[in-house]
Amino acid sequence: MNRRLGILISGRGSNLQAIIDAIAAGRLEATIGVVLSNRPGAAGLERARAAGIEAVCVDPSPSASRHEYDAALVRELQARRIDLVCLAGFMRLLGPTFIDAFPHRILNIHPSLLPAFPGLHAQRQAIEHGVRISGATVHLVDADLDAGPIVLQAAVPVLADDTEETLAARILAEEHRIYPEAIGIVLGGGWSIAGRRFVRS
Ligand code: GRF
């Protein structure tokens, strides 16, 4: 069965593009039902439209509470019968209204080997900490920031002369590889959650 993805972005959308490309190449069996952004200028909205995918900006009004904004996102996704939500550079915290609407059906990608370096500027954090290896993580989203069960990770060396930009670029190449793969694993079923572990049977 072809499952429907809802992809949430805030910016350039290169992970969105990797998912579009994986579907087009037959490496991922899924349909992108909608792309949502919290920023009207997000370049990823144009990438989606160029691929014939509906792309909608849900602009947070300054007076909207987190609950109200989350509820607006949930409405957009449920109206399009979305099975799995993929956060791809979505720079807004989601609260229980959103997370409880899609239990174990929200994925996120983060540019470090979690649980190291959650939050913003993960690549800069890795360089400043002096780790020799960093990477990328795809995980299920729960109530805590960058903390849910881990589906896939890829390791990336940190080189002596790396800047935040060069390390980010090397990690991004791995993000583009593992995000479509992780989506395929989650859609494929045959997994469960044991404690905080994502276990494939
Ligand atoms: C990626 O590095 C992702 O890991 C992080 O935000 C960035 C989004 O990049 N969550 P893009 O918009 O997919 O190009």
Side-chain angles (χ1 to χ4, degrees):
M1 187 177 45
N2 217 349
R3 311 301 295 276
R4 293 171 63 77
L5 308 178
I7 304 193
L8 270 58
I9 62 164
S10 296
R12 80 193 146 176
S14 72
N15 278 288
L16 162 67
Q17 189 69 55
I19 297 164
I20 292 171
D21 293 348
I23 292 171
R27 284 181 280 116
L28 174 62
E29 199 182 322
T31 300
I32 302 178
V34 71
V35 171
L36 301 180
S37 169
N38 63 323
R39 293 200 184 128
L45 289 170
E46 285 314 312
R47 291 185 194 260
R49 289 177 189 134
I53 297 163
E54 186 184 12
V56 177
C57 177
V58 183
D59 209 351
S61 101
S63 58
S65 67
R66 175 165 303 158
H67 165 74
E68 286 166 338
Y69 186 73
D70 283 7
L73 291 177
V74 169
R75 275 196 302 278
E76 297 290 343
L77 294 164
Q78 288 180 341
R80 293 167 180 85
R81 294 173 288 103
I82 295 304
D83 299 297
L84 181 68
V85 179
C86 302
L87 308 182
F90 187 67
M91 303 301 286
R92 222 187 124 91
L93 290 174
L94 295 165
T97 302
F98 191 93
I99 290 166
D100 295 347
F102 297 97
H104 289 157
R105 289 189 292 137
I106 309 169
L107 283 173
N108 183 41
I109 185 144
H110 184 77
S112 74
L113 289 178
L114 291 172
F117 315 128
L120 292 174
H121 304 297
Q123 303 94 335
R124 189 194 305 167
Q125 292 184 56
I127 289 173
E128 287 177 353
H129 195 93
V131 295
R132 307 296 177 170
I133 297 173
S134 191
T137 302
V138 180
H139 64 94
L140 290 172
V141 172
D142 63 15
D144 299 317
L145 178 68
D146 296 332
I150 291 168
V151 180
L152 274 185
Q153 291 186 303
V156 172
V158 181
L159 307 180
D161 58 355
D162 260 336
T163 63
E164 189 176 350
E165 289 70 32
T166 60
L167 178 59
R170 208 172 320 107
I171 291 175
L172 197 61
E174 290 300 295
E175 295 184 37
H176 296 165
R177 188 177 65 77
I178 67 171
Y179 209 177
E181 188 181 342
I183 293 168
I185 289 170
V186 170
L187 292 180
W191 54 269
S192 58
I193 302 297
R196 55 150 297 109
R197 289 189 306 139
F198 180 92
V199 182
R200 296 177 73 180
S201 42

